[in-house]
Amino acid sequence: MTPASRIHPVERWLWPILATAVFLLLWHYAVLWSGTRIFPSPREVELGLSQLTHRGVLYRDIVDSLRRVAIGYLAAVGAGIPLGLLLGWYPAAEQTVNPAIQLLRPISPIAWIPVAILFFGVGDDAAIFLVFLGAFFPIVITCVDAVSNVPLIYRRAGSNFGLTAPQVLARVVFPAALPQILVGLRIALGIGWLVVVAGEMIAVNSGLGYLIIDSRNSGKRYDLVVGAMLLIGIIGLALDAVFRRLESIKPVRWGFRHES
Amino acid sequence: MIRASADSFTGDAMPRASAAGKLRVENLGVAFQREGATLPVLDDVNLSVRDGEFVCLLGPSGCGKSTLLNAMAGFLQPTSGQVLVDGEVVRGPDPRRIFVFQERGVFPWLTVAGNIGFGLGKLSREERAKRVQHYVQMVGLQGFEKSYPHELSGGMKQRVEVARALAVNPDVLFLDEPFGALDSITRMVMRSELLRIWEAERKTILFVTHDIDEAVQLADRVVVISARPGRIQQIVDVDLQHPRDISSPRYLKLRDGILSQIGLAHRI
Ligand SMILES: Nc1ncnc2c1ncn2[C@@H]1O[C@H](COP(=O)(O)OP(=O)(O)OP(=O)(O)O)[C@@H](O)[C@H]1O
Ligand SMILES: [Mg+2]
């Protein structure tokens, strides 16, 4: 029995809700007592967001951001996993491209914004490209790592049962590496969500990132700035929670035993 | 069951032309390169194993038992000499010869049934299900077909691995200290189950252990390997019928003979 399972189900919800309420109260009174005219109180944020909701703008911004992340991220998954598996499988290939990967990896996707705009112009494609870049390298690198961590015993067992090399890769190495790959995918999704907001501040004219920069520039609507920030946080949390659910499905649960 | 012992022998000289040999190791040598130096691990090993024979490889830790078994299974190219199965030189792993690791070889992403059916990809769905069910029963895992390995005990995982190996109907089984990680009670149970399965399926079994009692309880012949570089020091015929009485004078005599061969006296 893990300590977590001893917590009463009601308490699992009660304490986080209480902590959030305390946070909102602190925020409310901090704005009140400091007498700031610029920084919004929680109530003002709520009003601002509901205005936007009524105009249908907020919904569109959220969908735009999510769409860009989805496309860029799925492209990174589709390209990154096969590449990572192959590089992990053929160490010689990995050694060949490793310097290039290590050189590109530390460059923040934000630094790519001018290049992205040069390639794709101001628009969706530039933002999608940035998300792709942000997610791609962590995915490739965790895949390479995950494959090289697959115990030799599993590969031997696979080839002992008469599997060809591609079959060993698909039926043994991939499932054996999957838990670690999932961790990488989760991190990459988080990065994608970070990057899309940054990209939208410069490279496009819609989305939550654009909402932040636009609200500030046109009339210093800090209620909307903070509202968009909160939304980004909530959506990021939700995306992460969906991913965490994946970790408990049976064929990968063995890899997350310490958490189950 | 009466096992002929007329053509088995004691000593390390091997006749070259053992016609009945299912598996033959000829002048096998293995050396590893380590930090520029050559480390000879096995030296001039010769062994002939009959079809359906149960042979235990016994020796101190690090003497090269696993190396020998890996070479026989085709996972490792010998530095010199060769391994032949049915007169054919072994060049790689083959489903006709399955290697059973300790329970660590079970695939954690597959259920018990998925593991046991792993090597049966060529069969039709119904046939595979039938085979799987047969071997689930043989190793006594009924009711756990849909369980995942992390929900099983060590002994149960070991059974899964043995069943997975048997399901592809191999001629030869290689077992590398298969019960080493189990508690002593489970180990005893697994030994008698392995014997039961062996008598039912008539596989040729090569079984690595460093437990002298285990070797004498199980094997038709015990191959004693010396410390590095590993050489066959002695081959002991265990002329006892199953089930073996482990308090019989003959059993104790064989065991003590191996003990003194390895250089251990009667007391610790
Ligand atoms: N891949 C390798 N590269 C270098 N040296 C190796 C390799 N595999 C084994 N050895 C060395 O060969 C020797 C024999 O190893 P092996 O695993 O065959 O011993 P063993 O008899 O199975 O021992 P144990 O009873 O502890 O399992 C050891 O000294 C080991 O360090
Ligand atoms: Mg060993």
Side-chain angles (χ1 to χ4, degrees), chain A residues 89-149:
Chain A
W89 187 246
Y90 296 108
E94 204 256 335
Q95 272 163 26
T96 313
V97 297
N98 194 40
I101 290 181
Q102 296 302 338
L103 180 79
L104 291 173
R105 188 170 72 122
I107 303 173
S108 160
I110 315 297
W112 282 85
I113 290 180
V115 178
I117 292 177
L118 180 71
F119 284 173
F120 299 102
V122 171
D124 255 10
D125 291 349
I128 290 168
F129 175 68
L130 294 173
V131 171
F132 173 84
L133 278 179
F136 181 71
F137 292 109
I139 291 175
V140 172
I141 287 162
T142 23
C143 276
V144 172
D145 208 38
V147 169
S148 61
N149 283 342

Side-chain angles (χ1 to χ4, degrees), chain A residues 5-232:
Chain A
S5 64
R6 253 180 279 136
I7 297 173
H8 194 274
V10 174
E11 288 184 67
R12 280 246 290 278
W13 296 103
L14 187 69
W15 295 117
I17 288 173
L18 225 83
T20 313
V22 168
F23 168 74
L24 289 174
L25 271 174
L26 280 177
W27 175 8
H28 177 78
Y29 283 106
V31 169
L32 214 68
W33 288 330
S34 69
T36 172
R37 302 240 163 268
I38 302 169
F39 200 84
S41 71
R43 179 82 189 122
E44 286 164 338
V45 168
E46 194 204 323
L47 284 174
L49 284 182
S50 65
Q51 260 176 37
L52 283 188
T53 320
H54 285 307
R55 298 215 317 263
V57 186
L58 192 58
Y59 177 73
R60 215 196 60 216
D61 279 333
I62 292 174
V63 170
D64 278 354
S65 290
L66 283 175
R67 190 191 62 242
R68 287 171 193 137
V69 170
I71 298 172
Y73 178 71
L74 288 179
V77 171
I81 290 182
L83 182 68
L85 289 178
L86 283 176
L87 292 182
W89 187 246
Y90 296 108
E94 204 256 335
Q95 272 163 26
T96 313
V97 297
N98 194 40
I101 290 181
Q102 296 302 338
L103 180 79
L104 291 173
R105 188 170 72 122
I107 303 173
S108 160
I110 315 297
W112 282 85
I113 290 180
V115 178
I117 292 177
L118 180 71
F119 284 173
F120 299 102
V122 171
D124 255 10
D125 291 349
I128 290 168
F129 175 68
L130 294 173
V131 171
F132 173 84
L133 278 179
F136 181 71
F137 292 109
I139 291 175
V140 172
I141 287 162
T142 23
C143 276
V144 172
D145 208 38
V147 169
S148 61
N149 283 342
V150 172
L152 180 62
I153 279 188
Y154 293 158
R155 300 189 197 194
R156 282 190 168 173
S159 57
N160 201 172
F161 283 101
L163 266 55
T164 60
Q167 285 173 327
V168 171
L169 193 58
R171 291 185 59 196
V172 176
V173 173
F174 178 68
L178 194 55
Q180 206 187 328
I181 292 176
L182 274 184
V183 173
L185 290 182
R186 201 177 113 222
I187 291 168
L189 183 60
I191 294 174
W193 188 240
L194 289 176
V195 168
V196 79
V197 171
E200 284 169 346
M201 290 187 166
I202 300 172
V204 283
N205 299 323
S206 70
L208 290 169
Y210 177 76
L211 177 62
I212 290 180
I213 211 76
D214 188 49
S215 306
R216 196 204 81 107
N217 289 346
S218 56
K220 302 235 187 304
R221 290 288 303 273
Y222 276 96
D223 53 339
L224 300 183
V225 169
V226 174
M229 285 168 63
L230 283 180
L231 271 177
I232 289 166

